[in-house]
């Protein structure tokens, strides 16, 4: 049995696929995954490397359920030849096909997919937190930055507002934005029982009160005018005793 290519009298275009994909990746993937990869690859080339896709529309075009489409796409993310980057402003991902040739040559790295990533993302809460942090940093957060922040939040169970406060505190105190320093601040607050911004301000108020009490204790007692008069009266009433003490001390000095 043999195959051959027919000659083409009319060229309607072709979609170039890397041989390494056909030789190495395709044989180990199921049919749904291959179908999704080839379809998306074709659409990216067709739309000048700027294809905005809708999952529902694609799943209908390919005759598969939305869940099957997501599983197929997730398969290539796990293989590492498709990468994705979270766009903080929209809460959506941008995807990219990675050159398998360059992966084999070692000039690029396979994408490291974290399947738990989406479980941490809360569009109504965390996206706002990330936007505030980016405003403080004056730089966009990377996927690694986002996952590190979310992992720390999951471990410490601190509020999103407190994380933003830590970045503000770090910038105000040091003028620098070192993530390890900020994470250290959050861990110290966590050990002090601080979980929210309200806890943070309550602790500040408590510290101010303690310092004020210490300052009060360090002040010397100053008698009131009434007390001073009372002391004068006491001394006058006991003038004979005072005279006796003076004479006693004078005599002892002579004896010595």
């Amino acid at each position: 049995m043999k195959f051959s290519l027919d000659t083409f009298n009319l060229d309607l275009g072709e979609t170039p696929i890397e041989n390494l994909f056909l030789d190495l990746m395709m044989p180990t993937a199921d049919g749904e995954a291959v179908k999704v990869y080839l379809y998306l690859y074709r659409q990216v080339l067709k739309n000048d490397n700027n294809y905005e896709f809708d999952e529902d529309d694609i799943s209908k075009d390919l005759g598969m359920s939305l869940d099957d489409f997501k599983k197929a796409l997730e398969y290539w993310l796990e293989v590492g030849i498709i990468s994705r980057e979270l766009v903080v402003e929209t809460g959506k991902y941008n995807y990219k096909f990675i050159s398998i040739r360059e992966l084999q040559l070692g000039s690029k790295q396979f994408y490291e997919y974290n399947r738990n990533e989406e479980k941490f993302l809360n569009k109504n809460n965390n996206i706002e937190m990330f936007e505030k942090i980016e405003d403080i940093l004056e730089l966009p957060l990377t996927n690694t930055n986002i996952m590190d922040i979310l992992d720390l939040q999951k471990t410490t169970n601190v509020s999103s507002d407190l994380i933003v406060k830590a970045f503000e505190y770090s910038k105000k105190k040091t003028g620098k934005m070192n993530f390890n320093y900020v994470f250290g601040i959050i861990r110290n607050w966590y050990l002090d029982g601080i979980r929210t911004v309200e806890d943070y301000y309550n602790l500040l108020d408590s510290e101010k009160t303690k310092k004020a009490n210490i300052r009060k204790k360090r002040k010397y007692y100053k008698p009131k005018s009434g007390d001073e008069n009372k002391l004068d009266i006491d001394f006058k009433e006991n003038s004979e005793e005072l005279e006796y003490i003076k004479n006693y001390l004078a005599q002892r000095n002579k004896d010595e």
Side-chain angles (χ1 to χ4, degrees), residues 41-246:
Y41 198 95
R42 160 64 177 149
Q43 297 304 318
V44 169
L45 292 177
K46 179 181 177 182
N47 291 275
D48 298 324
N49 203 30
N50 187 28
Y51 175 52
E52 293 189 16
F53 68 92
D54 181 271
E55 294 177 337
D56 290 316
D57 291 340
I58 292 178
S59 60
K60 290 177 182 177
D61 290 343
L62 295 177
M64 61 173 62
S65 68
L66 181 59
D67 286 340
D68 287 340
F69 169 76
K70 289 182 177 180
K71 288 178 183 178
L73 183 57
E74 185 177 50
Y75 171 81
W76 296 116
L77 290 170
E78 290 177 336
V79 171
I81 61 174
I82 291 181
S83 66
R84 70 178 184 180
E85 188 82 16
L86 178 67
V87 181
V88 174
E89 292 79 7
T90 62
K92 297 181 180 180
Y93 290 99
N94 285 340
Y95 294 81
K96 181 183 292 185
F97 287 94
I98 303 175
S99 170
I100 302 173
R101 283 168 291 186
E102 294 192 47
L103 289 173
Q104 292 297 316
L105 292 172
S107 58
K108 289 189 177 180
Q109 300 294 321
F110 284 91
Y111 175 68
E112 295 185 7
Y113 173 60
N114 185 344
R115 64 170 52 251
N116 294 320
E117 182 176 332
E118 292 182 2
K119 294 180 181 179
F120 297 131
L121 294 178
N122 183 313
K123 188 173 182 180
N124 296 325
N125 188 20
N126 286 328
I127 296 301
E128 183 180 355
M129 173 182 69
F130 296 141
E131 289 176 345
K132 289 180 179 178
I133 293 173
E134 287 185 334
D135 288 341
I136 296 169
L137 297 175
E138 298 180 0
L139 289 171
L141 292 169
T142 65
N143 263 14
T144 301
N145 295 149
I146 291 171
M147 289 308 302
D148 287 344
I149 293 170
L150 292 173
D151 285 340
L152 180 63
Q153 186 176 31
K154 181 183 178 183
T155 302
T156 59
N157 197 32
V158 298
S159 70
S160 298
D161 287 342
L162 187 66
I163 293 175
V164 174
K165 173 60 68 176
F167 277 91
E168 291 176 345
Y169 177 86
S170 176
K171 186 173 184 178
K172 183 177 180 180
K173 185 173 182 179
T174 67
K176 299 178 181 179
M177 285 288 95
N178 182 294
F179 275 78
N180 289 332
Y181 181 78
V182 175
F183 290 171
I185 292 172
I186 295 172
R187 291 189 183 96
N188 287 335
W189 286 350
Y190 168 76
L191 293 175
D192 289 335
I194 300 174
R195 302 290 186 275
T196 65
V197 173
E198 184 180 0
D199 293 338
Y200 168 77
Y201 284 117
N202 287 339
L203 181 65
L204 288 183
D205 291 339
S206 176
E207 291 297 325
K208 288 179 181 178
T209 302
K210 287 181 181 178
K211 290 180 180 179
N213 290 335
I214 291 173
R215 284 196 294 269
K216 288 180 181 178
K217 290 179 180 179
R218 288 177 178 173
K219 289 183 179 179
Y220 291 103
Y221 171 73
K222 294 182 179 180
K224 298 178 181 178
S225 57
D227 294 334
E228 291 174 352
N229 294 334
K230 185 177 183 301
L231 289 173
D232 290 340
I233 293 171
D234 289 340
F235 278 120
K236 289 176 182 177
E237 290 178 350
N238 297 289
S239 57
E240 293 182 1
E241 293 181 10
L242 288 174
E243 189 65 27
Y244 173 79
I245 292 171
K246 289 180 181 179

